[in-house]
């Protein structure tokens, strides 16, 4: 009766096996530093333009929307704090993660998937390299290191976007906007704003690697793996975001 | 009696419950050769991958260099695999690496013991010269023809001078001239180093070359083995696979005499 649950449950189990093996091997030699640096470049520097764009415009629209709502209470001056809080706590981490998931979960899944279907993964194992160490670990480390940086940059650019709207359209002074923003942000906002991207980084890289490494069925399979990786990564990002937010709200 | 290099004991490998090979048993002694024939999908590639522990049997035992690898953890397999070379059916060159890096790849994992970094380059050049591709060092696999990629694969499989070399369909899809060139390279690798060799092929001629020719270092060419006094290269056996089962095992003469209609389809009489 519950047969339809069998495959998803098996997948989740395999996913945790892969994650467990990767985390267990974090300290195990050899460390492929060059591969890690290259992945940081691809994932971090490569995602920067789209992350900047996304961050900037989310700041702009937040400021525009909030000013409308705040106007009814005569509190347009609060735009700075509101933009800061929403960006740092939610929009920055989640939007950046979604963009990077679309870009890099897909990229990782299709790269590893092509390697899988052309037997390059088998070749790697046959030639004495553990794909977990050579492929998964560098991607995990690179994504986890870059994701908080990207998010911080995105938050900052978003604040600038909000500032431009506040200054030119809402006639809020520079010091009112930035001081308001600075004073509202508390320690745990920053903590959750950086913890979230770190966890999303784990999800983005491991989901990409997982679907890449289990690809079967030729080039068509690569396409399928890529799509699945993006969809699953995005779903996990939303679900985990809700959990983390709940935890921080309760504290 | 010396340990066989590779021994299969009633090995079954299955995917999602469907057996790809079933109850396969054979062994290969040191310095011997095997030619595996069989129709598409009969399980030849699965046998090679199982030999190196890339696939795990659901039943039976596989001994590589005398060690049971059926349930050996991946980490411990690396030491055994370091003594093997393999050419994959589609070549499986790393397409993000240059030819030089591809061929050097197996050395990276032994570097400290046998190959100090300064020796790697000359070793790679030597291996590529052996397959007559010394000029492609800086190219990428996508810039080479199919036959050239196959030869790079052969160079990569042999660069560590492994005791056991596996070739999966080295001549598939190649013109007869290139195919014969590749076969002579394989025979050359086998005879220069006395390597145990297993080759999967669809062409009976490939098996005949393996059985009838040997490499003469003096003339740097292949010659019929009978010139040296004995009729055939010793220790060469043919295996024929049919739908996952081993249906024939024997030497070339037995293969040519076989009355089995499936087996005799692989024999081309000339
Ligand atoms: N990764 C896999 N997943 C599922 N089934 C597989 C897999 N690899 C092989 N098989 C199945 O195992 C059987 C044997 O495949 P194998 O690749 O060994 O054939 P082969 O003899 O090498 O054929 P060919 O000459 O075409 O290469 C086939 O029926 C194939 O469908
Ligand atoms: Mg095959």
């Amino acid at each position: 009766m519950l047969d339809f649950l069998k495959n998803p449950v098996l997948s989740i189990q395999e996913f945790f096996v892969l994650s467990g093996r990767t985390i267990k091997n974090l300290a195990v030699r050899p460390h492929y530093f060059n591969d890690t640096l290259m992945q940081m470049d691809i994932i971090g520097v490569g995602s920067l333009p789209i992350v900047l764009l996304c961050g900037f415009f989310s700041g702009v629209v937040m400021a525009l929307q909030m000013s409308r709502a705040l106007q009814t209470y005569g509190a347009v001056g609060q735009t700075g704090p509101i933009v800061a809080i929403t960006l740092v706590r939610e929009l920055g981490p989640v939007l950046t993660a979604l963009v990077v998931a679309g870009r890099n979960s897909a990229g990782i899944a299709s790269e590893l998937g092509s390697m899988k279907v052309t037997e390059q993964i088998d070749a790697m194992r046959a030639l004495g390299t553990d794909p977990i160490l050579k492929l998964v670990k560098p991607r995990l480390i690179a994504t986890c290191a870059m994701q908080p940086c990207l998010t911080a940059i995105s938050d900052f650019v978003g604040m600038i976007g909000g500032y431009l709207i506040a200054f030119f359209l809402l006639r809020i002074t520079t010091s009112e906007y930035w001081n308001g923003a600075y004073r509202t942000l508390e320690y745990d906002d920053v903590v959750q704003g950086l913890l979230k991207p770190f966890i999303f980084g784990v999800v983005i890289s491991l989901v990409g690697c997982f679907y890449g490494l289990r690809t079967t069925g030729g080039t068509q399979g690569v396409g399928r793996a890529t799509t699945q990786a993006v969809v699953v990564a995005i779903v996990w990002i939303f679900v985990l975001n809700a959990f983390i937010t709940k935890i921080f709200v309760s504290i | 009696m010396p340990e066989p290099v590779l021994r299969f004991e009633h090995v079954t490998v299955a995917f999602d419950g469907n057996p790809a090979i079933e109850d396969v048993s054979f062994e290969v002694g040191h310095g011997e050769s095997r030619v595996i024939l069989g129709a598409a999908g009969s399980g030849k590639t699965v046998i090679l991958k199982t030999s190196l522990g890339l696939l795990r049997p659901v039943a039976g035992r596989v001994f590589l260099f005398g060690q049971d690898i059926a349930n050996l953890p991946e980490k411990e397999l690396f030491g055994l695999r370091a003594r093997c070379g393999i050419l994959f059916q589609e070549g499986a060159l790393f397409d993000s690496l240059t030819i030089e890096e591809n061929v050097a790849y197996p050395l990276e994992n032994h570097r400290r013991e046998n190959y100090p970094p300064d020796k790697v380059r000359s070793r790679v050049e030597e291996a590529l010269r052996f397959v007559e591709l010394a000029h492609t060092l800086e190219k990428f696999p996508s810039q080479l023809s199919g036959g050239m990629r196959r030869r790079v694969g052969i160079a990569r499989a042999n660069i560590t001078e492994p005791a056991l070399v596996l070739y999966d369909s080295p001549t598939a899809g190649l013109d007869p001239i290139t195919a014969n060139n590749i076969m002579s390279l394989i025979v050359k690798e086998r005879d220069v180093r006395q390597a145990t060799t297993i080759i999967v092929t669809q062409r009976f001629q490939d098996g005949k070359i393996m059985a009838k020719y040997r490499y003469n270092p003096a003339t740097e060419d292949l010659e019929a083995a009978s010139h040296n006094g004995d009729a055939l290269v010793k220790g060469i056996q043919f295996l024929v696979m049919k739908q996952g089962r081993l249906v024939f095992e024997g030497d070339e003469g037995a293969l040519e005499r076989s009355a089995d209609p499936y087996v005799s389809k692989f024999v081309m009489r000339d």
Side-chain angles (χ1 to χ4, degrees):
Chain A
M1 189 186 75
L2 289 172
D3 259 7
F4 66 95
L5 279 178
K6 209 174 106 193
N7 278 334
V9 170
L10 268 181
S11 298
I12 291 175
Q13 185 192 342
E14 284 168 22
F15 176 77
F16 280 112
V17 169
L18 175 78
S19 313
R21 281 186 58 196
T22 311
I23 289 163
K24 216 173 69 193
N25 278 311
L26 275 181
V28 172
R29 285 164 167 281
H31 305 291
Y32 294 96
F33 290 113
N34 284 344
D35 293 85
T36 311
L37 283 180
M38 205 158 83
Q39 288 305 321
M40 283 183 172
D41 184 48
I42 295 173
I43 293 165
V45 182
S47 304
L48 200 54
I50 177 81
V51 164
L52 287 178
L53 199 79
C54 179
F56 179 81
F57 282 104
S58 52
V60 167
V61 293
M62 274 311 293
L64 285 172
Q65 291 286 9
M66 282 305 146
S67 66
R68 273 289 287 286
L70 290 170
Q71 225 158 28
T72 46
Y73 306 105
V76 179
Q78 292 298 305
T79 306
I82 296 229
V83 170
I85 293 247
T86 44
L87 278 180
V88 171
R89 281 198 199 156
E90 291 296 332
L91 283 186
V94 173
L95 283 179
T96 309
L98 293 182
V99 168
V100 177
R103 209 179 155 273
N104 293 311
S105 289
I108 292 173
S110 63
E111 185 186 357
L112 300 200
S114 322
M115 291 183 74
K116 177 77 194 304
V117 299
T118 54
E119 293 180 318
Q120 289 178 55
I121 304 276
D122 277 337
M124 210 170 244
R125 291 168 63 207
L127 300 180
T129 318
D130 188 343
I132 302 260
L133 294 182
K134 173 87 176 163
L135 299 173
V136 181
K137 205 170 90 179
R139 284 167 176 75
L140 175 68
I141 294 174
T143 318
C144 286
M146 296 325 280
Q147 196 65 20
C149 302
L150 286 173
T151 304
I153 295 171
S154 158
D155 290 347
F156 182 66
V157 176
M159 299 281 295
I160 293 177
Y163 166 69
L164 294 179
I165 296 297
F167 186 79
F168 288 109
L169 290 183
L170 311 176
R171 304 283 168 213
I172 297 171
T173 64
T174 306
S175 72
E176 192 183 359
Y177 181 89
W178 288 107
N179 280 335
Y182 181 74
R183 252 182 285 119
T184 348
L185 285 180
E186 283 174 15
Y187 183 65
D188 74 313
D189 294 324
V190 179
V191 170
Q192 87 170 277
L194 292 179
L195 177 73
K196 278 180 178 178
F198 182 80
I199 291 175
F200 297 157
V202 176
V203 171
I204 290 168
S205 54
L206 286 182
V207 167
C209 290
F210 172 68
Y211 282 100
L213 289 179
R214 79 202 289 259
T215 306
T216 51
T219 30
Q220 212 185 6
V222 177
R224 210 161 38 226
T226 310
T227 320
Q228 273 174 332
V230 176
V231 171
V232 170
I234 288 177
V235 169
W236 275 100
I237 287 167
F238 281 123
V239 172
L240 286 175
N241 183 49
F243 272 105
I244 302 169
T245 304
K246 171 74 182 85
I247 290 170
F248 273 90
V249 168
S250 315
I251 292 176
Chain B
M1 207 185 97
E3 281 284 349
V5 172
L6 176 68
R7 183 157 93 235
F8 272 50
E9 278 180 7
H10 308 287
V11 175
T12 299
V13 178
F15 297 100
D16 303 322
N18 305 318
I21 60 172
E22 233 181 324
D23 196 22
V24 171
S25 305
F26 67 93
E27 61 175 58
V28 190
H30 187 76
E32 296 184 348
S33 303
R34 292 290 178 275
V35 177
I36 305 179
L37 298 163
S42 56
K44 306 180 297 290
T45 300
V46 172
I47 288 186
L48 294 193
K49 288 192 179 170
T50 311
S51 309
L52 296 187
L54 298 173
L55 294 173
R56 304 278 178 165
V58 293
R61 303 205 291 169
V62 180
F63 293 87
L64 183 60
F65 301 111
Q67 198 164 347
D68 184 357
I69 62 164
N71 296 303
L72 209 61
E74 184 91 1
K75 215 177 273 164
E76 288 166 40
L77 275 168
F78 286 134
L80 294 174
R81 287 182 189 148
R83 296 156 69 186
C84 307
I86 180 167
L87 169 74
F88 285 89
Q89 189 159 4
E90 307 293 343
L93 299 179
F94 302 117
D95 41 30
S96 57
L97 303 182
T98 62
I99 298 305
E100 178 183 1
E101 289 164 333
N102 261 289
V103 176
Y105 196 92
L107 295 179
E108 303 281 307
N109 298 305
H110 304 228
R111 176 181 290 173
R112 251 161 231 102
E113 304 103 73
N114 311 330
Y115 299 99
D118 49 318
K119 291 239 181 77
V120 168
R121 172 125 192 164
S122 61
R123 180 76 192 92
V124 168
E125 279 173 351
E126 184 191 328
L128 281 171
R129 215 173 309 121
F130 198 84
V131 296
E132 291 154 18
L133 283 176
H135 56 286
T136 61
L137 241 50
E138 309 297 329
K139 293 211 164 111
F140 282 91
S142 56
Q143 295 169 300
L144 301 189
S145 75
M148 289 159 99
R149 280 205 289 273
R150 217 58 76 73
R151 282 186 284 164
V152 174
I154 292 177
R156 187 176 71 176
N158 284 287
I159 185 135
T160 58
E161 311 204 325
L164 170 67
V165 199
L166 314 173
Y167 298 97
D168 196 348
S169 315
T171 59
L174 298 178
D175 63 276
I177 296 169
T178 315
N180 284 339
N181 277 341
I182 287 197
M183 282 315 298
S184 44
L185 278 176
I186 290 175
V187 171
K188 196 163 137 193
E189 291 281 8
R190 177 192 69 182
D191 292 346
V192 167
R193 302 192 290 103
Q194 306 298 319
T196 309
T197 303
I198 302 179
I199 163 171
V200 161
T201 181
Q202 292 88 350
R203 300 196 326 153
F204 179 58
Q205 303 101 287
D206 295 348
K208 267 170 100 167
I209 294 176
M210 288 288 287
K212 291 224 163 98
Y213 289 85
R214 54 172 50 157
Y215 178 70
N216 183 342
T219 58
E220 298 193 358
D221 206 356
L222 296 198
E223 60 183 27
S226 52
H227 289 186
N228 286 358
D230 44 359
L232 290 173
V233 178
K234 288 209 183 64
I236 175 157
Q237 302 253 303
F238 288 74
L239 310 178
V240 180
M241 294 294 298
K242 180 186 181 182
Q243 293 173 356
R245 289 185 174 273
L246 185 58
V247 293
F248 174 88
E249 185 174 8
D251 62 15
E252 196 200 338
L255 183 72
E256 282 178 354
R257 285 191 302 274
S258 170
D260 184 311
Y262 177 84
V263 172
S264 58
K265 269 201 200 102
F266 287 97
V267 180
M268 274 195 356
R269 295 182 178 80
D270 48 11

